[in-house]
Amino acid sequence: MLEIDELSVSYGAVRALDGVGITVERGGITAVLGANGAGKTTLLRTISGLQPARAGRISWDGAELTGRAPDRIARGGVAHVPEGGGVITELTVDENLRLGALWRRDRADRAAARKEVYELFPPLEERSAKPASTLSGGERQMLAIGRALMSRPGLLLLDEPSLGLAPLITARIMGILRDLRASTGLTVVLVEQNAHSALSIADRGYVLALGKVVAVDTAAELLADDGLRHAYLGF
Ligand code: ATP
């Protein structure tokens, strides 16, 4: 379980997160929604150890993450796909994937993880020797997710995977995430401005506004709440 309690994060005088509490059950998909600047990216960066917390606690699987270095958090099974994916366009698809498991010692294990990723995303296997710069936006997002999966994480943090993608491609990526959760029991935190897509696969959702949680409910209830949708979710 991911437990975030009273988390506050500031950039100088800007309070990006203010007493945020979030609980994510193992094997669940939780959507974190909200407008530009609500604090969504900051939340993921703080879970990953890339941004220090000013106050509060974060734990995953009973282990305290707050104050730990990002590499230790990653080794503890937390993988982060940043906004835009962070794919290295000069490297091939295969090289990008290998980067995701550099620190895993067991070669057979790395090869098995790569095989699984290619099974999950066949377009990546077809283009494995091509530079990542030749991929479409959707394929780059697949590569970014695939690279994160190379470490066989227990917790996957995804920052706006639908950004800039056509609706059909977004739906395909959401479908893959849903299947992945079903087949591996992966726990997913999905940050999205595209609330409708995210709620279509999430169990639960949190809505952030100006660094605070303003709503938390099942995905079905959030989708059905017209007032909330109009006020915060923009659809
Ligand atoms: P977006 O969808 O634009 O990424 P977000 O919900 O992810 O928005 P954050 O990027 O976490 O929001 O930003 C939360 C607040 O913190 C905003 O007011 C933003 O301007 C501010 N902020 C974010 N990063 C920095 C930074 N490096 N320095 C100063 N202020 C920042």
Side-chain angles (χ1 to χ4, degrees):
M1 188 160 91
L2 174 71
E3 281 186 286
I4 300 176
D5 194 28
E6 288 289 321
L7 183 67
S8 294
V9 177
S10 299
Y11 301 100
V14 178
R15 187 170 272 213
L17 294 177
D18 188 2
V20 165
I22 288 180
T23 305
V24 178
E25 296 296 333
R26 243 178 181 287
I29 299 184
T30 296
V32 177
L33 311 168
N36 235 322
K40 307 180 300 298
T41 295
T42 300
L43 175 71
L44 295 192
R45 288 180 52 82
T46 312
I47 297 171
S48 295
L50 298 168
Q51 187 66 43
R54 209 175 53 80
R57 293 164 60 100
I58 303 172
S59 68
W60 162 245
D61 250 1
E64 177 89 26
L65 302 187
T66 340
R68 279 205 200 170
D71 63 316
R72 278 196 64 202
I73 292 176
R75 280 165 212 258
V78 179
H80 186 162
V81 180
E83 193 172 314
V87 158
I88 301 177
T89 50
E90 294 82 359
L91 298 181
T92 66
V93 168
D94 204 61
E95 286 164 346
N96 268 282
L97 284 185
R98 285 167 190 266
L99 281 181
L102 267 188
W103 49 273
R104 289 176 80 101
R105 294 240 172 86
D106 186 336
R107 276 181 116 191
D109 200 32
R110 290 199 305 250
R114 215 156 94 248
K115 189 161 168 279
E116 283 165 24
V117 169
Y118 281 140
E119 278 167 11
L120 200 59
F121 301 108
L124 296 184
E125 186 161 30
E126 286 163 29
R127 291 166 182 71
S128 64
K130 298 255 162 52
S133 59
T134 64
L135 299 181
S136 68
E139 289 161 353
R140 279 190 205 193
Q141 193 53 244
M142 290 178 195
L143 179 55
I145 296 171
R147 187 177 58 186
L149 295 175
M150 288 291 291
S151 63
R152 292 229 174 86
L155 175 62
L156 182 65
L157 309 174
L158 289 167
D159 199 347
E160 305 250 8
S162 79
L163 196 73
L165 301 185
L168 261 178
I169 311 290
T170 298
R172 185 161 169 211
I173 291 199
M174 295 294 162
I176 289 169
L177 291 174
R178 180 167 43 202
D179 295 349
L180 197 64
R181 186 267 294 267
S183 61
T184 64
L186 185 67
T187 306
V188 178
V189 177
L190 177 59
V191 155
E192 271 291 348
Q193 275 192 57
N194 185 342
H196 196 267
S197 288
L199 291 174
S200 71
I201 62 160
D203 314 298
R204 274 164 39 99
Y206 286 78
V207 181
L208 289 182
L210 296 175
K212 290 188 198 277
V213 174
V214 292
V216 48
D217 215 325
T218 61
E221 289 293 330
L222 290 175
L223 276 169
D225 187 335
D226 287 340
L228 187 85
R229 286 200 292 127
H230 292 314
Y232 297 108
L233 303 180
F235 73 97

